[in-house]
Amino acid sequence: MSAVYINSASCISVQDTLNEDFFQHLTPENSSQVIKAIEPNYKEFIPAAMIRRMSKTVKMSSVASHYALKEAGIQQPDAIIVGTGMGCSQDSEKFLKNVIDNQEEFLTPTFFIQSTHNTVAGQIALGLQCHAYNFTYVNSSSSLEFSFLDAKLQINDGEAENILVGSTDEQTERTMELYRLNNTIKKSEDIPFDYLNSTTDGVIWGEGSSFFVVGKEKTENSYAQLKDIQLRNTLELDETQNFIGDFLAENNLTGNDIDAVILGFSGDAKSDVYYAKAMDLFPNSALLYYKHLSGEFNTASGFSTFMACHILKDQQIPEVMRINSVKKDGIKNVLLYNHLSGHDHSLVLLERA
């Protein structure tokens, strides 16, 4: 199989990740139940008349994809693939509210049309006038990983050379209320807390949009080589180490070959045990975490992939991400492990380009 490279990376998140020096200004958050993304000035990228009709996730994705394509020097990608867990939740809620308020009569179709999960990929294609392959994956916390896998297969099969791959999720008021009621979001009395040693269930919920250009050829801007991806819907706790060990073995690696491991510790005591189990495999690796910077959400792995790309390219690790004190002379292999509430486990292996 031919090599596949990540040639650009862009992210809108709770951190100011659109700024070039964001590495020096990463700020942990553990005192709010919900944290919102830092949004750019959309008027610089999107016509004012269109902004009013776009939900937050579409606006974030439009800007993040713009930056990703610009950095890669690509005007027309050969495919657009987007992963999202919740899709355009704001418009979904608006449509359902209209149904109730109007007693199912005299409904305008706009919110319904814009509420579908593939709206994001469609709007990006419309903006670019791109008629190429356009697909959306909705697979909870592994939505981005399925998107990467699709892109990797297309490039290996010779069907595309440069593909825009992204992930996005937004917050909505009603959904956040429901998440508080079912204890998905951590109770206010349990905040603040230690992400790595939490004794309570629930998470701090975030949002964001991350986009990458995946290409067949290595360029001067290449961040990483996308080596391999492994996905598992359900996993018993005692299967965790075999799941990871087998994945490394398939790539002719051992735990000692991994320079940095990025784990999705979310502060949810019930599901973080998987990450604790995984750490035992990497006594000589730099162990990192990131959801204290991004919050938990369906496609939070987009933020970790973005961070991994910069770690590989810049050859430095932000101190705020460190779990242990292991430091390497050089960073070649980075492993990303993520899941959401103990389901949809994903492994992504990146190698320095």
Side-chain angles (χ1 to χ4, degrees):
M1 297 176 75
S2 61
V4 175
Y5 296 94
I6 298 178
N7 292 331
S8 71
S10 175
C11 181
I12 293 175
S13 68
V14 171
Q15 306 295 324
D16 195 8
T17 37
L18 286 181
N19 279 344
E20 292 184 1
D21 62 346
F22 75 93
F23 246 41
Q24 284 70 48
H25 299 96
L26 294 170
T27 306
E29 176 59 69
N30 72 341
S31 58
S32 301
Q33 290 179 297
V34 174
I35 45 179
K36 296 185 179 296
I38 297 175
E39 298 178 84
N41 182 3
Y42 293 122
K43 292 180 181 178
E44 297 178 7
F45 307 93
I46 308 168
M50 294 181 65
I51 291 175
R52 291 194 299 269
R53 297 196 298 270
M54 287 182 170
S55 66
K56 187 175 184 178
T57 194
V58 175
K59 289 186 288 188
M60 289 193 299
S61 299
S62 297
V63 175
S65 62
H66 166 83
Y67 275 105
L69 290 168
K70 183 179 179 181
E71 184 182 14
I74 301 294
Q75 291 185 331
Q76 284 288 341
D78 299 319
I80 298 172
I81 308 174
V82 175
T84 179
M86 299 293 289
C88 299
S89 305
Q90 288 183 4
D91 286 322
S92 298
E93 287 192 3
K94 288 175 182 176
F95 173 71
L96 292 172
K97 187 176 186 300
N98 278 350
V99 170
I100 296 168
D101 291 347
N102 294 294
Q103 298 180 332
E104 303 181 19
E105 297 178 340
F106 313 116
L107 301 173
T108 56
T110 307
F111 291 134
F112 175 73
I113 294 168
Q114 295 176 342
S115 70
T116 57
H117 287 71
N118 60 353
T119 298
V120 173
Q123 287 286 354
I124 293 171
L126 284 170
L128 296 172
Q129 292 296 295
C130 177
H131 303 283
Y133 177 89
N134 191 290
F135 207 84
T136 299
Y137 283 91
V138 186
N139 294 85
S140 187
S141 64
S142 55
S143 299
L144 174 62
E145 289 76 8
F146 273 103
S147 301
F148 271 135
L149 186 59
D150 187 349
K152 193 173 189 299
L153 290 170
Q154 287 202 46
I155 290 172
N156 284 326
D157 290 343
E159 295 181 11
E161 292 190 2
N162 293 287
I163 298 177
L164 179 65
V165 179
S167 64
T168 184
D169 275 298
E170 65 185 0
Q171 296 168 357
T172 54
E173 186 177 341
R174 181 57 179 159
T175 301
M176 294 304 101
E177 289 176 1
L178 294 173
Y179 280 0
R180 287 186 177 94
L181 288 172
N182 72 1
N183 296 325
T184 295
I185 292 177
K186 203 172 281 288
K187 295 178 181 177
S188 57
E189 57 264 30
D190 295 331
I191 295 175
F193 62 96
D194 181 352
Y195 271 82
L196 299 177
N197 300 289
S198 175
T199 57
T200 56
D201 295 339
V203 301
I204 288 177
W205 203 260
E207 62 181 352
S209 181
S210 303
F211 274 78
F212 312 86
V213 171
V214 179
K216 180 181 179 181
E217 303 295 335
K218 180 181 176 181
T219 69
E220 292 181 359
N221 293 326
S222 292
Y223 286 86
Q225 184 177 343
L226 182 61
K227 294 289 289 184
D228 201 4
I229 300 166
Q230 184 70 268
L231 302 160
R232 185 79 66 84
N233 177 246
T234 58
L235 191 70
E236 297 296 329
L237 182 60
D238 59 6
E239 297 175 332
T240 307
Q241 293 187 356
N242 286 337
F243 172 58
I244 298 172
D246 292 346
F247 175 71
L248 295 177
E250 288 172 8
N251 289 278
N252 300 313
L253 298 171
T254 67
N256 291 326
D257 297 314
I258 303 299
D259 300 303
V261 184
I262 303 181
L263 302 162
F265 278 100
S266 64
D268 178 44
K270 185 165 56 179
S271 62
D272 278 350
V273 290
Y274 286 97
Y275 300 124
K277 198 80 170 176
M279 289 198 300
D280 296 337
L281 290 174
F282 304 99
N284 302 313
S285 305
L287 300 176
L288 315 176
Y289 70 126
Y290 65 94
K291 287 178 182 172
H292 61 309
L293 303 173
S294 67
E296 175 69 286
F297 55 101
N298 285 271
T299 51
S301 60
F303 181 84
S304 69
T305 306
F306 175 77
M307 295 302 296
C309 285
H310 278 277
I311 287 170
L312 284 165
K313 190 171 186 177
D314 301 340
Q315 289 293 291
Q316 61 173 314
I317 297 172
E319 291 298 318
V320 72
M321 293 182 68
R322 290 187 180 275
I323 296 174
N324 62 2
S325 57
V326 174
K327 296 189 177 182
K328 299 280 187 174
D329 294 332
I331 305 167
K332 180 184 178 184
N333 294 310
V334 176
L335 179 68
L336 286 73
Y337 175 32
N338 185 57
H339 62 71
L340 179 63
S341 301
H343 300 284
D344 297 299
H345 300 256
S346 65
L347 297 170
V348 177
L349 179 63
L350 300 179
E351 182 182 294
R352 186 181 183 186

